[in-house]
Amino acid sequence: MNSPAAGVSMTERLFAVVPAAGGGSRIGAAVPKQYLDLGGEPMLHRSVDALLAEPRIATIVVVLAPDDPRRPPAGRFDARVHWLPEGGATRAESVRAGLDALAAGDSDWVLVHDAARPGLSAKALARLIDTVRDDPVGGLLALPVADTLKLADSDDRVCSTLPREALWAAQTPQMFRAGVLRQALAGDLTGVTDEASGVERLGLAPRLVRGEPPNFKVTLADDLELARVLFSHGGN
Ligand code: C5P
């Protein structure tokens, strides 16, 4: 999986990994959430399409659960997309499997994007790539937290109000060099809920790049309704 990236002006190549091996049980559907319908297409296809809109991406590895028999119809995606049925027990393990399948050199860039974020726009993706490509560490799309934050006790009662000034909510894609990502995802992955948290464990400070509200993660039934409204209006 080592095709050259046509028309890329970056020295390093740019790859993408889409972890899509989760069960998505919190949404309460009969199929994993990445296969729920969004305007006539599975959510996963929408998320892959969002990456394919960026011509600088050479190869996209979609990581599926080992027992997942679903594949897109022949010809649905271009040859940049590869399906890897080697997902792990956690998101981080699935990403690690995708990374292992890429013939990426240490300095090549890898974008990791959740299958459950179908609302990524070409504009936000390009902003991430353009901002991070010269960064020594890498970075991620994220949004400054707008709501007032409450710390809850086990009875859902407020313990305190947290200062929100410096808080951002992480999104994907997250973009790091393959070498850094390999180190970040090596060994014990406890607490590594996104790539940036693994990179932070290495003592590095990823760059925050402003994302967009429609790039939310579809997690609960309400999120699915919102995503369906978005795609009934043509998506991004
Ligand atoms: O469950 P959650 O929404 O946090 O999952 C985020 C992404 O990670 C989803 O695209 C999901 O399919 C993927 N995932 C995975 N392997 C797992 C768990 C989650 O690829 N074991």
PDB file of all heavy atoms in Angstrom, residues 18-24 26 33-34 63 87-91 94-95 113-116 217-219, ligand 1:
ATOM      1  N   VAL A  18      -8.558   4.903   8.746  1.00  0.00           N
ATOM      2  CA  VAL A  18      -9.915   5.098   9.273  1.00  0.00           C
ATOM      3  C   VAL A  18     -10.261   3.911  10.174  1.00  0.00           C
ATOM      4  O   VAL A  18     -10.529   2.809   9.673  1.00  0.00           O
ATOM      5  CB  VAL A  18     -10.950   5.206   8.126  1.00  0.00           C
ATOM      6  CG1 VAL A  18     -12.364   5.351   8.689  1.00  0.00           C
ATOM      7  CG2 VAL A  18     -10.619   6.364   7.200  1.00  0.00           C
ATOM      8  N   PRO A  19     -10.220   4.084  11.499  1.00  0.00           N
ATOM      9  CA  PRO A  19     -10.642   2.988  12.372  1.00  0.00           C
ATOM     10  C   PRO A  19     -12.155   2.820  12.272  1.00  0.00           C
ATOM     11  O   PRO A  19     -12.911   3.758  12.542  1.00  0.00           O
ATOM     12  CB  PRO A  19     -10.203   3.454  13.767  1.00  0.00           C
ATOM     13  CG  PRO A  19     -10.120   4.937  13.683  1.00  0.00           C
ATOM     14  CD  PRO A  19      -9.807   5.286  12.259  1.00  0.00           C
ATOM     15  N   ALA A  20     -12.589   1.638  11.865  1.00  0.00           N
ATOM     16  CA  ALA A  20     -14.029   1.385  11.643  1.00  0.00           C
ATOM     17  C   ALA A  20     -14.387   0.002  12.168  1.00  0.00           C
ATOM     18  O   ALA A  20     -15.198  -0.711  11.583  1.00  0.00           O
ATOM     19  CB  ALA A  20     -14.359   1.509  10.152  1.00  0.00           C
ATOM     20  N   ALA A  21     -13.764  -0.376  13.275  1.00  0.00           N
ATOM     21  CA  ALA A  21     -13.955  -1.724  13.807  1.00  0.00           C
ATOM     22  C   ALA A  21     -14.763  -1.731  15.101  1.00  0.00           C
ATOM     23  O   ALA A  21     -14.839  -2.752  15.774  1.00  0.00           O
ATOM     24  CB  ALA A  21     -12.591  -2.384  14.030  1.00  0.00           C
ATOM     25  N   GLY A  22     -15.360  -0.585  15.431  1.00  0.00           N
ATOM     26  CA  GLY A  22     -16.108  -0.508  16.686  1.00  0.00           C
ATOM     27  C   GLY A  22     -17.509  -1.085  16.544  1.00  0.00           C
ATOM     28  O   GLY A  22     -18.048  -1.189  15.438  1.00  0.00           O
ATOM     29  N   GLY A  23     -18.095  -1.428  17.692  1.00  0.00           N
ATOM     30  CA  GLY A  23     -19.460  -1.956  17.703  1.00  0.00           C
ATOM     31  C   GLY A  23     -20.490  -0.846  17.779  1.00  0.00           C
ATOM     32  O   GLY A  23     -21.621  -0.993  17.321  1.00  0.00           O
ATOM     33  N   GLY A  24     -20.089   0.303  18.367  1.00  0.00           N
ATOM     34  CA  GLY A  24     -21.008   1.446  18.468  1.00  0.00           C
ATOM     35  C   GLY A  24     -22.249   1.145  19.285  1.00  0.00           C
ATOM     36  O   GLY A  24     -23.337   1.601  18.952  1.00  0.00           O
ATOM     37  N   ARG A  26     -23.393   2.240  22.042  1.00  0.00           N
ATOM     38  CA  ARG A  26     -24.098   3.325  22.732  1.00  0.00           C
ATOM     39  C   ARG A  26     -25.247   3.896  21.916  1.00  0.00           C
ATOM     40  O   ARG A  26     -26.137   4.543  22.427  1.00  0.00           O
ATOM     41  CB  ARG A  26     -23.121   4.463  23.080  1.00  0.00           C
ATOM     42  CG  ARG A  26     -22.316   4.195  24.339  1.00  0.00           C
ATOM     43  CD  ARG A  26     -21.305   5.283  24.595  1.00  0.00           C
ATOM     44  NE  ARG A  26     -20.202   5.265  23.628  1.00  0.00           N
ATOM     45  CZ  ARG A  26     -19.196   6.131  23.614  1.00  0.00           C
ATOM     46  NH1 ARG A  26     -19.154   7.092  24.504  1.00  0.00           N
ATOM     47  NH2 ARG A  26     -18.230   6.038  22.713  1.00  0.00           N
ATOM     48  N   LYS A  33     -22.532   1.262  14.258  1.00  0.00           N
ATOM     49  CA  LYS A  33     -23.040   2.583  13.846  1.00  0.00           C
ATOM     50  C   LYS A  33     -22.454   3.078  12.524  1.00  0.00           C
ATOM     51  O   LYS A  33     -23.106   3.826  11.800  1.00  0.00           O
ATOM     52  CB  LYS A  33     -22.815   3.617  14.941  1.00  0.00           C
ATOM     53  CG  LYS A  33     -21.355   3.944  15.217  1.00  0.00           C
ATOM     54  CD  LYS A  33     -21.229   4.979  16.314  1.00  0.00           C
ATOM     55  CE  LYS A  33     -19.785   5.150  16.710  1.00  0.00           C
ATOM     56  NZ  LYS A  33     -19.597   6.037  17.846  1.00  0.00           N
ATOM     57  N   GLN A  34     -21.239   2.647  12.208  1.00  0.00           N
ATOM     58  CA  GLN A  34     -20.616   3.137  10.967  1.00  0.00           C
ATOM     59  C   GLN A  34     -21.355   2.662   9.714  1.00  0.00           C
ATOM     60  O   GLN A  34     -21.111   3.147   8.623  1.00  0.00           O
ATOM     61  CB  GLN A  34     -19.131   2.772  10.903  1.00  0.00           C
ATOM     62  CG  GLN A  34     -18.792   1.312  10.974  1.00  0.00           C
ATOM     63  CD  GLN A  34     -18.617   0.831  12.414  1.00  0.00           C
ATOM     64  OE1 GLN A  34     -19.182   1.384  13.340  1.00  0.00           O
ATOM     65  NE2 GLN A  34     -17.823  -0.208  12.591  1.00  0.00           N
ATOM     66  N   VAL A  63      -9.926   0.239   8.574  1.00  0.00           N
ATOM     67  CA  VAL A  63      -9.710  -0.929   9.441  1.00  0.00           C
ATOM     68  C   VAL A  63     -11.061  -1.445   9.940  1.00  0.00           C
ATOM     69  O   VAL A  63     -11.781  -0.749  10.662  1.00  0.00           O
ATOM     70  CB  VAL A  63      -8.808  -0.570  10.631  1.00  0.00           C
ATOM     71  CG1 VAL A  63      -8.486  -1.813  11.441  1.00  0.00           C
ATOM     72  CG2 VAL A  63      -7.524   0.115  10.154  1.00  0.00           C
ATOM     73  N   GLY A  87      -9.059  -5.145  12.706  1.00  0.00           N
ATOM     74  CA  GLY A  87      -9.291  -4.252  13.846  1.00  0.00           C
ATOM     75  C   GLY A  87      -9.059  -4.953  15.169  1.00  0.00           C
ATOM     76  O   GLY A  87      -9.140  -6.185  15.261  1.00  0.00           O
ATOM     77  N   GLY A  88      -8.795  -4.153  16.209  1.00  0.00           N
ATOM     78  CA  GLY A  88      -8.509  -4.712  17.528  1.00  0.00           C
ATOM     79  C   GLY A  88      -9.628  -4.452  18.512  1.00  0.00           C
ATOM     80  O   GLY A  88     -10.707  -3.987  18.140  1.00  0.00           O
ATOM     81  N   ALA A  89      -9.333  -4.729  19.786  1.00  0.00           N
ATOM     82  CA  ALA A  89     -10.349  -4.599  20.840  1.00  0.00           C
ATOM     83  C   ALA A  89     -10.633  -3.139  21.187  1.00  0.00           C
ATOM     84  O   ALA A  89     -11.675  -2.818  21.743  1.00  0.00           O
ATOM     85  CB  ALA A  89      -9.890  -5.341  22.083  1.00  0.00           C
ATOM     86  N   THR A  90      -9.684  -2.261  20.898  1.00  0.00           N
ATOM     87  CA  THR A  90      -9.890  -0.828  21.172  1.00  0.00           C
ATOM     88  C   THR A  90      -9.585  -0.032  19.906  1.00  0.00           C
ATOM     89  O   THR A  90      -8.933  -0.533  18.984  1.00  0.00           O
ATOM     90  CB  THR A  90      -8.942  -0.311  22.279  1.00  0.00           C
ATOM     91  OG1 THR A  90      -7.581  -0.446  21.795  1.00  0.00           O
ATOM     92  CG2 THR A  90      -9.113  -1.088  23.566  1.00  0.00           C
ATOM     93  N   ARG A  91     -10.027   1.222  19.928  1.00  0.00           N
ATOM     94  CA  ARG A  91      -9.762   2.102  18.789  1.00  0.00           C
ATOM     95  C   ARG A  91      -8.257   2.201  18.525  1.00  0.00           C
ATOM     96  O   ARG A  91      -7.809   2.104  17.376  1.00  0.00           O
ATOM     97  CB  ARG A  91     -10.344   3.487  19.088  1.00  0.00           C
ATOM     98  CG  ARG A  91     -10.157   4.500  17.981  1.00  0.00           C
ATOM     99  CD  ARG A  91     -10.670   5.877  18.457  1.00  0.00           C
ATOM    100  NE  ARG A  91     -10.496   6.892  17.429  1.00  0.00           N
ATOM    101  CZ  ARG A  91      -9.326   7.462  17.148  1.00  0.00           C
ATOM    102  NH1 ARG A  91      -8.237   7.106  17.799  1.00  0.00           N
ATOM    103  NH2 ARG A  91      -9.258   8.384  16.189  1.00  0.00           N
ATOM    104  N   SER A  94      -6.924  -0.738  16.749  1.00  0.00           N
ATOM    105  CA  SER A  94      -7.337  -0.738  15.335  1.00  0.00           C
ATOM    106  C   SER A  94      -6.461   0.221  14.523  1.00  0.00           C
ATOM    107  O   SER A  94      -6.031  -0.100  13.410  1.00  0.00           O
ATOM    108  CB  SER A  94      -8.817  -0.348  15.208  1.00  0.00           C
ATOM    109  OG  SER A  94      -9.631  -1.287  15.877  1.00  0.00           O
ATOM    110  N   VAL A  95      -6.185   1.377  15.102  1.00  0.00           N
ATOM    111  CA  VAL A  95      -5.328   2.352  14.403  1.00  0.00           C
ATOM    112  C   VAL A  95      -3.931   1.762  14.222  1.00  0.00           C
ATOM    113  O   VAL A  95      -3.318   1.883  13.152  1.00  0.00           O
ATOM    114  CB  VAL A  95      -5.267   3.693  15.179  1.00  0.00           C
ATOM    115  CG1 VAL A  95      -4.234   4.635  14.562  1.00  0.00           C
ATOM    116  CG2 VAL A  95      -6.643   4.356  15.198  1.00  0.00           C
ATOM    117  N   HIS A 113      -8.736   9.254  10.987  1.00  0.00           N
ATOM    118  CA  HIS A 113     -10.074   9.858  11.011  1.00  0.00           C
ATOM    119  C   HIS A 113     -11.122   8.826  11.399  1.00  0.00           C
ATOM    120  O   HIS A 113     -11.200   7.749  10.786  1.00  0.00           O
ATOM    121  CB  HIS A 113     -10.401  10.447   9.627  1.00  0.00           C
ATOM    122  CG  HIS A 113     -11.718  11.161   9.586  1.00  0.00           C
ATOM    123  ND1 HIS A 113     -12.051  12.155  10.486  1.00  0.00           N
ATOM    124  CD2 HIS A 113     -12.804  11.013   8.778  1.00  0.00           C
ATOM    125  CE1 HIS A 113     -13.269  12.597  10.208  1.00  0.00           C
ATOM    126  NE2 HIS A 113     -13.750  11.914   9.191  1.00  0.00           N
ATOM    127  N   ASP A 114     -11.947   9.157  12.392  1.00  0.00           N
ATOM    128  CA  ASP A 114     -13.006   8.246  12.847  1.00  0.00           C
ATOM    129  C   ASP A 114     -14.034   7.981  11.746  1.00  0.00           C
ATOM    130  O   ASP A 114     -14.506   8.916  11.092  1.00  0.00           O
ATOM    131  CB  ASP A 114     -13.781   8.870  14.020  1.00  0.00           C
ATOM    132  CG  ASP A 114     -12.983   8.896  15.306  1.00  0.00           C
ATOM    133  OD1 ASP A 114     -12.075   8.062  15.461  1.00  0.00           O
ATOM    134  OD2 ASP A 114     -13.284   9.762  16.149  1.00  0.00           O
ATOM    135  N   ALA A 115     -14.427   6.708  11.620  1.00  0.00           N
ATOM    136  CA  ALA A 115     -15.525   6.371  10.704  1.00  0.00           C
ATOM    137  C   ALA A 115     -16.822   7.031  11.135  1.00  0.00           C
ATOM    138  O   ALA A 115     -17.732   7.212  10.331  1.00  0.00           O
ATOM    139  CB  ALA A 115     -15.707   4.852  10.690  1.00  0.00           C
ATOM    140  N   ALA A 116     -16.898   7.408  12.404  1.00  0.00           N
ATOM    141  CA  ALA A 116     -18.131   7.976  12.954  1.00  0.00           C
ATOM    142  C   ALA A 116     -18.159   9.501  12.879  1.00  0.00           C
ATOM    143  O   ALA A 116     -18.947  10.151  13.569  1.00  0.00           O
ATOM    144  CB  ALA A 116     -18.288   7.514  14.398  1.00  0.00           C
ATOM    145  N   LYS A 217     -18.724  13.639  16.442  1.00  0.00           N
ATOM    146  CA  LYS A 217     -18.707  12.172  16.378  1.00  0.00           C
ATOM    147  C   LYS A 217     -20.105  11.643  16.644  1.00  0.00           C
ATOM    148  O   LYS A 217     -20.715  11.986  17.664  1.00  0.00           O
ATOM    149  CB  LYS A 217     -17.723  11.597  17.394  1.00  0.00           C
ATOM    150  CG  LYS A 217     -17.568  10.083  17.228  1.00  0.00           C
ATOM    151  CD  LYS A 217     -16.412   9.548  18.018  1.00  0.00           C
ATOM    152  CE  LYS A 217     -16.699   9.636  19.497  1.00  0.00           C
ATOM    153  NZ  LYS A 217     -15.760   8.835  20.294  1.00  0.00           N
ATOM    154  N   VAL A 218     -20.605  10.813  15.745  1.00  0.00           N
ATOM    155  CA  VAL A 218     -21.919  10.211  15.943  1.00  0.00           C
ATOM    156  C   VAL A 218     -21.766   9.119  17.002  1.00  0.00           C
ATOM    157  O   VAL A 218     -21.096   8.113  16.780  1.00  0.00           O
ATOM    158  CB  VAL A 218     -22.475   9.638  14.623  1.00  0.00           C
ATOM    159  CG1 VAL A 218     -23.823   8.963  14.867  1.00  0.00           C
ATOM    160  CG2 VAL A 218     -22.600  10.733  13.564  1.00  0.00           C
ATOM    161  N   THR A 219     -22.368   9.360  18.169  1.00  0.00           N
ATOM    162  CA  THR A 219     -22.211   8.444  19.298  1.00  0.00           C
ATOM    163  C   THR A 219     -23.566   7.954  19.806  1.00  0.00           C
ATOM    164  O   THR A 219     -23.756   6.766  20.045  1.00  0.00           O
ATOM    165  CB  THR A 219     -21.464   9.149  20.461  1.00  0.00           C
ATOM    166  OG1 THR A 219     -20.214   9.632  19.966  1.00  0.00           O
ATOM    167  CG2 THR A 219     -21.204   8.187  21.614  1.00  0.00           C
TER     168      THR A 219
HETATM  169  O1  C5P B   1     -16.683   4.099  19.900  1.00  0.00           O
HETATM  170  P1  C5P B   1     -16.108   5.378  19.392  1.00  0.00           P
HETATM  171  O2  C5P B   1     -17.148   6.275  18.814  1.00  0.00           O
HETATM  172  O3  C5P B   1     -15.228   6.090  20.351  1.00  0.00           O
HETATM  173  O4  C5P B   1     -15.165   4.934  18.180  1.00  0.00           O
HETATM  174  C1  C5P B   1     -14.434   5.889  17.424  1.00  0.00           C
HETATM  175  C2  C5P B   1     -13.958   5.214  16.146  1.00  0.00           C
HETATM  176  O5  C5P B   1     -13.088   4.139  16.454  1.00  0.00           O
HETATM  177  C3  C5P B   1     -15.115   4.614  15.323  1.00  0.00           C
HETATM  178  O6  C5P B   1     -14.872   4.925  13.967  1.00  0.00           O
HETATM  179  C4  C5P B   1     -15.017   3.132  15.628  1.00  0.00           C
HETATM  180  O7  C5P B   1     -15.492   2.297  14.573  1.00  0.00           O
HETATM  181  C5  C5P B   1     -13.508   2.954  15.807  1.00  0.00           C
HETATM  182  N1  C5P B   1     -13.162   1.793  16.647  1.00  0.00           N
HETATM  183  C6  C5P B   1     -12.323   0.802  16.117  1.00  0.00           C
HETATM  184  N2  C5P B   1     -12.000  -0.305  16.864  1.00  0.00           N
HETATM  185  C7  C5P B   1     -12.496  -0.458  18.109  1.00  0.00           C
HETATM  186  C8  C5P B   1     -13.336   0.540  18.669  1.00  0.00           C
HETATM  187  C9  C5P B   1     -13.643   1.668  17.916  1.00  0.00           C
HETATM  188  O8  C5P B   1     -11.876   0.919  14.966  1.00  0.00           O
HETATM  189  N3  C5P B   1     -12.196  -1.555  18.788  1.00  0.00           N
END
